[in-house]
Amino acid sequence: KRLLKAIIFSQCFITSTSFATTGGGQSIELLGYEHKEKKLFLFRHFEDASGRLPQLYYYQFNNTNKAPALIEVKSLYINPQTKQIDYYLDHKQFDREIAKIQKRLTPLIEVKDLAPAINITNQTAVQVPTWYDEHESQDQYNYLYQVKSNGFSSAVQQATAYRPELHIAQKFRIPKQNKILVTVEYFGIPIETGYNIEDPVLLTPNKASRR
């Protein structure tokens, strides 16, 4: 426990050394669906002052025998000089590559009539050091949860929050796929005044609904 507290504090301290000018949340941008390769692309944006490029992910839907997993794209972040992954590359080249992908994408269908519910299967609360003082503590909530909606459900998800609250932020249907994509938002970054994290969650038909 002491080692865990030390790690948490050191990470928060490094992040917070520039105070309110450096922090930021994480948000999800849903880019669209590619029919030919059956891929759903999305961005995770890092809304801080680091200058980090957004992380590109995709869900692959061409394997009907396996639950789609969120796959992290690495090929667009290779530094041509070092041949290593570099998330701080020239954004102009990155933007050109993303534009090529976006030309092939169909926008998702936003649905306002859906009412997905977050079903928390496990919740624990622990005390961890605050980012500004290792001798002060704050609550940390660790969740296991599923999202369910009208015959659809997600796999079990994890979240670590610093307020006891999870909520649905975005809701979309995926074209040509009998699936739903939502995002779950929570207070997940406790430094400075605190920031929200948004995670994508894929819902697929329940087994009974597929018959």
Side-chain angles (χ1 to χ4, degrees):
K1 291 184 178 179
R2 290 181 180 177
L3 177 60
L4 176 61
K5 288 185 177 181
I7 292 172
I8 292 171
F9 173 73
S10 63
Q11 289 177 336
C12 291
F13 180 79
I14 291 170
T15 307
S16 66
T17 51
S18 297
F19 298 100
T21 60
T22 60
Q26 297 178 19
S27 63
I28 298 298
E29 179 186 359
L30 303 172
L31 299 178
Y33 177 69
E34 185 181 65
H35 292 279
K36 184 177 181 180
E37 296 189 10
K38 297 183 179 179
K39 291 180 179 179
L40 166 62
F41 286 90
L42 60 90
F43 268 148
R44 178 179 293 277
H45 291 281
F46 300 87
E47 299 165 345
D48 54 28
S50 68
R52 190 201 191 287
L53 293 170
Q55 178 61 56
L56 182 65
Y57 295 89
Y58 66 86
Y59 286 99
Q60 178 76 67
F61 298 130
N62 62 357
N63 188 344
T64 57
N65 297 319
K66 187 177 180 181
L70 188 63
I71 299 170
E72 180 178 333
V73 175
K74 297 181 179 180
S75 58
L76 297 184
Y77 302 90
I78 302 299
N79 188 306
Q81 279 74 45
T82 66
K83 308 303 180 183
Q84 302 295 316
I85 292 177
D86 182 355
Y87 294 111
Y88 301 90
L89 293 169
D90 178 10
H91 70 87
K92 293 181 180 179
Q93 175 61 31
F94 179 79
D95 291 345
R96 284 194 290 268
E97 295 302 318
I98 294 299
K100 294 177 185 177
I101 294 174
Q102 287 185 307
K103 288 181 180 179
R104 308 193 302 266
L105 303 183
T106 300
L108 304 188
I109 306 163
E110 185 174 10
V111 283
K112 297 182 179 180
D113 57 333
L114 283 178
I118 297 174
N119 179 34
I120 296 172
T121 58
N122 186 269
Q123 175 183 345
T124 59
V126 296
Q127 292 284 301
V128 297
T130 63
W131 68 276
Y132 55 86
D133 187 343
E134 65 177 324
H135 302 294
E136 297 288 332
S137 62
Q138 63 183 337
D139 291 327
Q140 181 188 83
Y141 302 91
N142 301 304
Y143 291 101
L144 294 178
Y145 69 92
Q146 282 184 291
V147 180
K148 299 183 178 182
S149 178
N150 300 331
F152 291 79
S153 61
S154 73
V156 175
Q157 310 291 314
Q158 297 183 26
T160 298
Y162 297 88
R163 289 177 185 164
E165 179 184 347
L166 305 172
H167 73 271
I168 304 293
Q170 302 184 65
K171 302 174 291 184
F172 289 86
R173 290 192 184 276
I174 304 169
K176 306 296 183 180
Q177 293 286 334
N178 189 25
K179 298 176 179 65
I180 297 169
L181 196 288
V182 305
T183 63
V184 173
E185 192 172 20
Y186 52 93
F187 191 79
I189 301 175
I191 67 169
E192 302 166 0
T193 57
Y195 302 94
N196 285 350
I197 290 177
E198 194 177 5
D199 290 333
V201 179
L202 182 70
L203 281 66
T204 57
N206 298 334
K207 290 183 179 180
S209 302
R210 296 174 189 170
R211 297 172 183 173

